[in-house]
Amino acid sequence: MQELCVWPDGSFRTGRPLLNAVGLGCERNQRRLFNDVSFGLAAGDMLRIIGPNGSGKSSLLRLLCGLARPAEGHVELFGEALAGQPGALASRLLWIGHAPGVKALLTVEENLSWLAALHGRDAIVAVERAIVAVGLRGFEDTRCHALSAGQQRRVALARLYLPGAPMLWLLDEPFAALDRAGTAQLEAHLAMHCERGGTVVLTTHHELTRRTQAYAVLDLGQYAT
């Protein structure tokens, strides 16, 4: 029997929920940002989170990946409470924050080799392919502090091209600082990931031109206190 996933618009979809948000409330600096946010996402789903500045978009992503605790409600990942599986999160989801999150004094190749090694991957082959995929061939030995903001973003996004990446991707403003070609490439890659059974949750002010069939939008402005 298939389970029902509640989407932000109140509709239902069939499919086993991979990620569940149940009645989430969030506070920051003693101010309530949103209340009673609930949704379920299955394999192949893409959820875009929108809302005005300060509505809690980044905060919601941090709740979904376990970097912060909700004021109310809870998050479930693969049917289990997120709070009860901290040791497994690195292998179950991939989080890329608004900041590039790269080590400035390391080269492009060193940054990605370190990330690949954390997951026991064949670092040499995997990193070479990821660098090519994000258009940074020729910059392998460049220290990241010498890269442009857009190039640093590409280094961060190269994690999405490493083999064996988790199926759940949580991305905070992934299109920030990317040029038109980089934006188009990332849109295509996110859509392909969902078509292969992956799940994507992202915040972005960018209007997606390439969407998966299972696509929904969550407007946090509707949940403000």
Side-chain angles (χ1 to χ4, degrees):
M1 178 178 179
Q2 288 185 312
E3 300 181 48
L4 292 177
C5 302
V6 184
W7 277 54
D9 62 2
S11 63
F12 293 86
R13 296 185 61 253
T14 58
R16 183 175 180 80
L18 181 151
L19 178 68
N20 275 330
V22 183
L24 294 182
C26 179
E27 292 182 353
R28 186 177 64 201
N29 298 327
Q30 299 182 328
R31 182 174 72 89
R32 182 60 65 98
L33 299 180
F34 54 77
N35 282 316
D36 200 25
V37 173
S38 297
F39 58 84
L41 299 174
D45 291 345
M46 179 183 290
L47 176 66
R48 177 187 172 205
I49 301 171
I50 64 172
N53 292 337
S55 60
K57 299 184 294 295
S58 296
S59 295
L60 176 55
L61 281 188
R62 291 178 65 85
L63 297 182
L64 296 179
C65 67
L67 290 177
R69 291 184 178 274
E72 294 175 352
H74 67 279
V75 178
E76 298 173 355
L77 181 61
F78 295 100
E80 302 177 21
L82 188 71
Q85 47 180 319
L89 293 184
S91 63
R92 289 193 156 191
L93 62 84
L94 192 157
W95 151 262
I96 297 180
H98 188 270
V102 299
K103 297 184 182 298
L105 295 180
L106 297 183
T107 67
V108 171
E109 185 174 19
E110 288 170 343
N111 264 281
L112 294 177
S113 294
W114 177 76
L115 290 170
L118 284 178
H119 298 282
R121 299 163 184 154
D122 185 343
I124 297 177
V125 175
V127 167
E128 288 178 352
R129 291 176 178 174
I131 288 174
V132 171
V134 296
L136 288 177
R137 175 181 282 173
F139 292 90
E140 293 88 344
D141 297 324
T142 302
R143 296 188 186 278
C144 286
H145 68 78
L147 299 176
S148 69
Q151 289 172 322
Q152 290 187 32
R153 172 61 58 178
R154 287 174 184 254
V155 176
L157 294 172
R159 297 169 59 190
L160 304 179
Y161 294 84
L162 291 173
M167 296 305 290
L168 173 60
W169 294 354
L170 304 176
L171 312 175
D172 194 1
E173 296 291 347
F175 297 98
L178 290 182
D179 57 20
R180 182 176 299 178
T183 296
Q185 180 189 37
L186 179 57
E187 280 201 26
H189 190 60
L190 296 182
M192 182 181 298
H193 178 66
C194 290
E195 290 165 3
R196 292 174 174 174
T199 303
V200 175
V201 183
L202 73 160
T203 68
T204 181
H205 296 286
H206 169 69
E207 289 290 342
L208 300 177
T209 59
R210 180 163 181 173
R211 303 173 178 176
T212 64
Q213 184 175 0
Y215 173 87
V217 176
L218 171 68
D219 185 354
L220 274 186
Q222 298 179 2
Y223 296 85
T225 57

